[in-house]
Amino acid sequence: MRAISVSIFLLLMPVVGLAESWSEHMGLNSFWVKHSRFADVPEDTERAFDYSALRFNRENFVYQIHEMDDILRDAYEDLSPDYVTLDAGTEQSRVVTPSIEEAWQFLSSDPDVIALIPFGFSEVAGEARLAGLRKEDGQMTQGVFAAPNLNAVFCFDDIDEHRKRTGRGWGPYNGQIPFLFTITYQQSANYRYQEGLDFVDLASGANPTRFAETFDSCNDMVQVGYRVIEPRLVETDSDSEGRISNGRATLSAERPFQRIVMLYDRFGYLNFVKSSEATFLYDFGRLLSSDEYYDSEACAFPETRTSGFRSLSCELWAVSVHAFDPTAIAIRSANDRGVDYWGDPTTPVAGVLTIRKSDYVQPRLEDVDQTTSSSEIE
């Protein structure tokens, strides 16, 4: 009986991040990092992994998506359709890889750029274009791509929520307000583009169009996934805990990968967390649901009864934004003279998210009636 009790106890223990205090990076206000920290998995040491993470205050920094194809064509005027350019030094042609290293060489000339995050997925490995739903500057350029892992849509700035803040008399929020839509495939994903938005979950409870206005008002969106921490009242696996999407049973069916996960927390910070080893989604979710990840600090925005008190710590939602092939996060060096790569910067990536010092401009808002907020913490 004692052995059974110990086994049950181990199953419920969280992934523990050891010696993992956040530290301010480059003396930047409200930008913190953890580098090469260890996440222990007490019940199975072989699943333990190292990770590096950054997080920032959205009023001090802004984020923007770039497709690698656009970056390379801006960087190399003579670039051919198959990414061949003439090297001016050797006068020999070479193939340019759509990598974080290439992106940093071009984008880092802007001193306000602090970090580059691999972001999004391609239809075929190595391609420089993003797969899945895209909305750019208010224009829908691609529809939903039905792939099992692409089960979320990230909205970069919830304009509808900005409007509602004004309607409540709260005053403007001087930063982007992120929002995560979920996708539910009503049949097996067929790896094809879909007509319409039937798979995007816009309902909440008995209201079938609860988040339709949020979706329509969002000017920039990208399809990503898998979800790691579920937003709002979205159901998780029955053998999971808290908001963690995947349960323990997926450990035997899932293939682990190195991945980069975007986390929105109850401090209002946006986090990007990269595992250095192949990691299960369940274990990643447990790390992001642990008090240790947040240095055991009390959440700035505690969970309310309407959310069912589901959070185990300060996690709000999280989604994988890059996986399968190991790659790197690029972050400006602490001495501001170079770059630190957390991983291999030469791996092809389809998209890059820039994080830069804020030049945020308030969106133009139309009058709106005071309604229920779409945000859980704003």
Side-chain angles (χ1 to χ4, degrees), residues 212-378:
E213 190 172 353
T214 303
F215 189 93
D216 291 341
S217 72
C218 187
N219 289 326
D220 297 281
M221 293 188 281
V222 174
Q223 191 176 350
V224 289
Y226 288 100
R227 301 192 303 273
V228 179
I229 302 291
E230 293 290 6
R232 299 176 294 282
L233 296 176
V234 177
E235 291 185 3
T236 64
D237 287 351
S238 59
D239 61 340
S240 187
E241 304 98 43
R243 292 176 174 269
I244 302 170
S245 304
N246 288 50
R248 290 183 293 275
T250 61
L251 294 171
S252 60
E254 175 194 340
R255 181 181 172 187
F257 291 100
Q258 289 189 34
R259 64 181 73 247
I260 297 173
V261 171
M262 175 173 60
L263 163 73
Y264 191 31
D265 66 30
R266 292 192 174 279
F267 299 95
Y269 302 147
L270 206 59
N271 301 236
F272 291 91
V273 189
K274 179 186 180 299
S275 63
S276 299
E277 289 82 32
T279 309
F280 290 98
L281 290 165
Y282 173 65
D283 290 335
F284 219 127
R286 292 170 72 193
L287 168 67
L288 302 182
S289 301
S290 68
D291 289 336
E292 289 80 8
Y293 177 80
Y294 306 95
D295 293 351
S296 298
E297 184 178 352
C299 310
F301 301 95
E303 191 163 22
T304 62
R305 185 178 301 277
T306 57
S307 297
F309 297 109
R310 300 174 69 202
S311 296
L312 301 178
S313 186
C314 295
E315 77 281 9
L316 188 54
W317 54 253
V319 63
S320 180
V321 297
H322 188 276
F324 308 125
D325 296 319
T327 185
I329 288 176
I331 185 166
R332 196 173 291 276
S333 298
N335 60 14
D336 200 23
R337 295 181 180 178
V339 59
D340 293 327
Y341 290 120
W342 296 351
D344 181 1
T346 64
T347 303
V349 296
V352 170
L353 192 80
T354 58
I355 301 172
R356 62 192 312 279
K357 295 177 184 177
S358 181
D359 54 359
Y360 185 75
V361 177
Q362 279 288 324
R364 184 176 178 178
L365 307 178
E366 299 173 357
D367 292 336
V368 65
D369 294 332
Q370 181 173 341
T371 58
T372 304
S373 171
S374 61
S375 171
E376 292 184 80
I377 66 172
E378 293 300 344

Side-chain angles (χ1 to χ4, degrees), residues 15 38-42 44-50 277-279 283:
V15 171
F38 179 67
D40 191 18
V41 181
D44 187 348
T45 57
E46 292 186 1
R47 289 178 9 226
F49 59 96
D50 289 335
E277 289 82 32
T279 309
D283 290 335

Side-chain angles (χ1 to χ4, degrees), residues 71-72 75-76 94 96-97 99-110 116 330 339 341 345-346:
I71 292 174
L72 295 182
Y76 299 97
R94 69 180 182 94
V96 180
T97 300
S99 65
I100 284 291
E101 184 176 52
E102 286 285 351
W104 181 262
Q105 289 177 9
F106 181 67
L107 297 172
S108 63
S109 58
D110 179 353
L116 301 182
V339 59
Y341 290 120
T346 64

